[in-house]
Amino acid sequence: MDNKYEKLFPMVKESYYQDKLSIRKIALKFNIHYQTVFRWLKRYKSNGKKELPWGYKRHKKRISTNIENIVIKYKERYPWLTITSTQKMLLKKKIRISHKAIWNIWKRNGYAGFDQKLMGNDFTDFVPLTREARLKLIQAQRYYDSGMIKESARILNTIPCLPKNDLILNVPYEHLNTRRRIERLMMQYGTIPLSEYLQKAERVYEQCIKNQWYYTALRIGIALCLALSWYGTPERLSKWINRIERLIPSSIRKARDLFPIYFTMLMSKCHYLVQKLKIKKAFEIIRYAHHLISQHQKPCSNFLYDLAIQYIDLEDYNTAEKLLNQAFEGLAEPRKKRAKMLLAVYIYLLRCQKKTALKFLQEAEIYDWVRNAQLSRFQSFFALIEGKPLEALSLVQKALNSAKEAGLPLDIANSYLANASVYMCLGELKRARALINVLRSFTKKIKMNRQLLIANILLQRFPKNKEVLKLSTLNLAWLLKNKGYIAGYNYAKKKGLMFYFYRYLFFYPEIVQKRIEKNKPTYLPKAILRLPIFNTKTDVYHINLLGKITTFRNQKYVKFH
């Protein structure tokens, strides 16, 4: 009826008011019942001649609201319930209800009827748009377009469950109920400041727990864990993983309907273990998750994408590339663009395939909360590869400022590291080491063990724990130091780590200098060899605004006219 109304009512209205046709003639003209025309016109007049669609009318044979609320209450409190077990619980209350009726209630409320191709960590992607939701959404949109914001919000808040839509982002946050706020937060992931997102998500989670909406708490909880993985503080992430896991008994976490939640928790746990340098355990979890996905004949693209991100975290970039390429065609457009960013930076940039990396980066998309910091840092990497350290220095300073402004500890740490790398290129060893020490203090304070380990390795302090050498970039540093230049070079080529290979050489320049002295090939691009750290005859200029130009050669001040 709603589609017929949308198509025909403008013409019905014109025929009645402008052409002055009778209701029966209009009914014959458009092949609809005269009583339908009468109802439409009556409703139009009663709404003050505002063209609002019909509101949703509850079916006469539908289960009563009280029974429906009991079914919802059971599913929320015990997320793992099956239809049969729900039916048995209802029988104890002397309520008889069919399997189909329970399934329909679950579908309307976003617990069933999922689009299997779109399954992932954001339920607003795969929950169905039911007839009730569609009709009420149309009505709410019309109210919103008419300037009736509160009325629009009131209609929205009566919808059991809503997939992705634009209206929910436009209605003021304070007018939305808890369920609509959760759906809005899922859609705002990566688009509002991270600290604001975490604060709002934590409040909504606590409200769900208070209401005993454990199913919904799981959904906002996994969004919280994913957001915290960007934050870079493992202890806080661990706390939330433990809280969320307590909502589901361990024996039934792999239930089919809960699989997106279970899979995302595996990914979060893997990320936490990497940050805590428990690399062996992290690899066990990711291989198990990979096995779970591989059992499906056509693995869901969103799960493959999430798996690729975690392989990047574990520095297995070749496997990550295969998974991203496998997932690519099945991803929605926003995720396709983010996949291009991952390919640009973690595959082609690390291999120093600059043209391909730039091509992908131009079509890529980065989450808003990290865009400024990461984009400037990535651009500084390109400048370094081209042998332009001063340009790289300007970009990396911009990245550090953006990371501090956004309050992103992980990006602050990575920017310090990038900054130190540029100063090493310039041959300013004291400043570079000072920045590494700042990085060490910063990472110690907030317990970022992985970044602290990298800082120590750059100062040639290798860990006694050999487990960390399962991370390819750390193994590369160990090979360079213990097995020699060629072993490190071959490993970097095989693993796609040429950028990291160059970075380590900036901090271990004596390895390159010895090969040059012995007339042995370095296989380094000319732009890299011309950098002051390797070519001590290169002049480095410092230009201070409204001040003098100072020149250094071989890290010593040079007088010149």
Side-chain angles (χ1 to χ4, degrees):
M1 183 62 73
D2 58 298
N3 287 336
K4 188 183 272 191
Y5 171 85
E6 289 287 314
K7 291 176 184 176
L8 296 180
F9 184 69
M11 293 183 283
V12 167
K13 184 181 67 170
E14 186 180 339
S15 299
Y16 184 78
Y17 286 102
Q18 292 183 18
D19 301 338
K20 305 295 181 182
L21 294 179
S22 69
I23 289 173
R24 287 190 179 274
K25 285 182 179 178
I26 293 170
L28 285 170
K29 181 179 178 180
F30 296 107
N31 195 27
I32 49 179
H33 200 280
Y34 75 93
Q35 287 183 348
T36 302
V37 177
F38 176 77
R39 283 200 309 273
W40 286 0
L41 291 168
K42 184 181 177 182
R43 183 67 177 270
Y44 178 66
K45 291 171 186 175
S46 65
N47 280 321
K49 294 193 176 181
K50 288 180 181 175
E51 222 175 294
L52 298 172
W54 306 137
Y56 174 75
K57 288 185 179 179
R58 190 182 180 90
H59 197 279
K60 292 175 184 178
K61 293 184 180 179
R62 184 166 149 181
I63 299 293
S64 71
T65 304
N66 287 339
I67 294 175
E68 194 162 322
N69 287 338
I70 292 170
V71 174
I72 293 166
K73 181 182 174 182
Y74 282 153
K75 189 63 176 174
E76 279 288 353
R77 194 170 294 182
Y78 311 107
W80 55 88
L81 281 183
T82 61
I83 290 177
T84 303
S85 57
T86 305
Q87 196 175 43
K88 287 177 182 177
M89 291 176 78
L90 290 168
L91 279 171
K92 289 178 182 178
K93 288 183 172 284
K94 298 181 180 178
I95 299 172
R96 292 186 178 275
I97 181 171
S98 68
H99 276 62
K100 186 177 180 182
I102 293 172
W103 191 86
N104 284 333
I105 293 169
W106 284 5
K107 183 180 178 183
R108 278 193 296 273
N109 289 274
Y111 309 129
F114 305 144
D115 186 337
Q116 297 298 319
K117 292 178 183 177
L118 300 175
M119 293 285 274
N121 52 45
D122 183 350
F123 74 94
T124 62
D125 281 330
F126 60 79
V127 293
L129 180 65
T130 61
R131 182 174 179 273
E132 178 180 355
R134 180 162 48 86
L135 283 169
K136 288 184 174 179
L137 186 58
I138 293 169
Q139 190 174 15
Q141 184 67 57
R142 289 293 182 88
Y143 277 125
Y144 183 84
D145 293 341
S146 303
M148 303 163 73
I149 308 300
K150 287 186 179 179
E151 189 61 25
S152 176
R154 186 186 66 76
I155 298 294
L156 274 179
N157 291 337
T158 63
I159 301 173
C161 185
L162 259 181
K164 269 192 169 62
N165 64 90
D166 294 329
L167 180 59
I168 205 170
L169 297 172
N170 296 328
V171 173
Y173 187 78
E174 60 272 15
H175 292 335
L176 300 174
N177 65 11
T178 303
R179 293 189 186 279
R180 294 298 85 81
R181 287 179 179 185
I182 289 169
E183 290 155 358
R184 176 171 166 142
L185 281 169
M186 298 302 283
M187 287 182 256
Q188 286 182 318
Y189 185 89
T191 64
I192 61 175
L194 182 55
S195 55
E196 181 189 340
Y197 186 89
L198 291 170
Q199 191 178 43
K200 284 182 174 180
E202 285 177 14
R203 282 180 190 166
V204 169
Y205 179 88
E206 297 300 345
Q207 187 63 48
C208 289
I209 296 298
K210 185 179 177 181
N211 295 338
Q212 295 186 314
W213 296 347
Y214 299 140
Y215 195 110
T216 306
L218 285 168
R219 284 175 163 174
I220 192 64
I222 63 170
L224 252 171
C225 287
L226 290 169
L228 283 167
S229 66
W230 287 92
Y231 210 65
T233 49
E235 300 305 325
R236 193 174 171 190
L237 175 59
S238 174
K239 170 193 159 187
W240 277 100
I241 289 172
N242 292 334
R243 284 192 72 178
I244 292 158
E245 282 191 331
R246 282 198 294 268
L247 296 176
I248 317 174
S250 57
S251 59
I252 47 173
R253 284 177 188 161
K254 288 185 277 185
R256 184 181 175 186
D257 290 350
L258 297 177
F259 185 77
I261 294 165
Y262 175 68
F263 181 81
T264 306
M265 293 313 299
L266 284 177
M267 297 297 97
S268 296
K269 197 178 287 187
C270 187
H271 177 78
Y272 164 74
L273 290 168
V274 174
Q275 294 301 313
K276 295 295 286 184
L277 302 179
K278 296 178 180 178
I279 310 303
K280 185 179 178 182
K281 185 67 177 172
F283 267 111
E284 285 175 10
I285 287 176
I286 199 170
R287 283 167 186 153
Y288 171 64
H290 200 162
H291 170 71
L292 289 177
I293 296 300
S294 301
Q295 286 181 322
H296 296 89
Q297 193 173 6
K298 290 185 177 179
C300 178
S301 295
N302 287 328
F303 290 142
L304 292 171
Y305 171 87
D306 292 339
L307 201 61
I309 290 173
Q310 208 48 55
Y311 270 110
I312 286 170
D313 203 28
L314 279 162
E315 299 182 356
D316 186 347
Y317 301 111
N318 293 335
T319 303
E321 181 186 17
K322 288 175 187 174
L323 288 168
L324 285 171
N325 287 332
Q326 191 180 345
F328 197 77
E329 289 306 316
L331 294 173
E333 199 57 37
R335 275 204 162 187
K336 267 187 184 175
K337 290 180 179 178
R338 288 195 289 274
K340 285 181 179 180
M341 186 277 291
L342 295 173
L343 287 165
V345 176
Y346 295 103
I347 308 302
Y348 301 115
L349 174 59
L350 294 190
R351 291 176 185 167
C352 292
Q353 296 174 358
K354 186 193 160 208
K355 286 183 180 178
T356 313
L358 280 172
K359 179 187 173 184
F360 272 81
L361 202 57
Q362 284 168 1
E363 301 166 357
E365 188 176 275
I366 304 174
Y367 284 122
D368 290 354
W369 57 38
V370 293
R371 181 183 290 124
N372 293 336
Q374 288 197 353
L375 201 55
S376 297
R377 197 167 72 252
F378 297 156
Q379 287 170 339
S380 76
F381 294 164
F382 286 117
L384 269 185
I385 291 169
E386 292 176 331
K388 300 174 183 176
L390 293 176
E391 185 181 326
L393 183 62
S394 171
L395 288 163
V396 85
Q397 290 283 9
K398 186 179 174 183
L400 181 59
N401 292 336
S402 297
K404 286 180 177 178
E405 188 180 331
L408 300 166
L410 184 59
D411 277 274
I412 291 170
N414 288 334
S415 296
Y416 274 130
L417 179 60
N419 214 347
S421 302
V422 176
Y423 276 117
M424 284 300 294
C425 289
L426 291 167
E428 296 199 32
L429 310 189
K430 286 183 180 179
R431 292 189 75 169
R433 286 182 182 130
L435 278 167
I436 292 295
N437 284 322
V438 171
L439 173 60
R440 290 179 74 240
S441 300
F442 178 74
T443 50
K444 268 184 184 178
K445 186 177 178 181
I446 56 176
K447 299 180 180 178
M448 294 175 73
N449 295 340
R450 186 178 184 176
Q451 281 67 30
L452 176 60
L453 178 62
I454 293 168
N456 285 332
I457 283 176
L458 293 178
L459 295 174
Q460 301 196 24
R461 299 173 186 173
F462 285 83
K464 293 178 182 178
N465 177 15
K466 298 299 180 185
E467 184 182 339
V468 298
L469 298 182
K470 289 181 179 292
L471 293 173
S472 58
T473 59
L474 304 187
N475 193 36
L476 172 60
W478 186 88
L479 284 170
L480 271 172
K481 193 68 180 170
N482 295 281
K483 298 290 183 179
Y485 189 92
I486 295 300
Y489 176 80
N490 289 335
Y491 184 79
K493 284 289 259 185
K494 179 183 174 183
K495 295 288 185 178
L497 302 173
M498 290 310 297
F499 178 81
Y500 284 104
F501 179 71
Y502 299 152
R503 173 182 273 174
Y504 284 131
L505 293 179
F506 301 153
F507 283 89
Y508 311 152
E510 64 279 358
I511 299 175
V512 178
Q513 288 160 359
K514 282 179 184 177
R515 289 191 72 80
I516 293 171
E517 286 169 10
K518 292 179 180 179
N519 264 342
K520 290 184 177 180
T522 61
Y523 310 107
L524 296 177
K526 290 180 181 178
I528 299 287
L529 283 171
R530 282 196 292 265
L531 290 169
I533 190 67
F534 302 128
N535 185 359
T536 54
K537 294 179 182 180
T538 302
D539 292 338
V540 179
Y541 299 96
H542 285 275
I543 303 173
N544 297 316
L545 190 63
L546 303 179
K548 294 192 300 179
I549 298 176
T550 53
T551 310
F552 292 85
R553 183 182 299 137
N554 200 16
Q555 295 93 56
K556 293 180 181 178
Y557 174 72
V558 178
K559 291 183 180 180
F560 78 103
H561 297 285

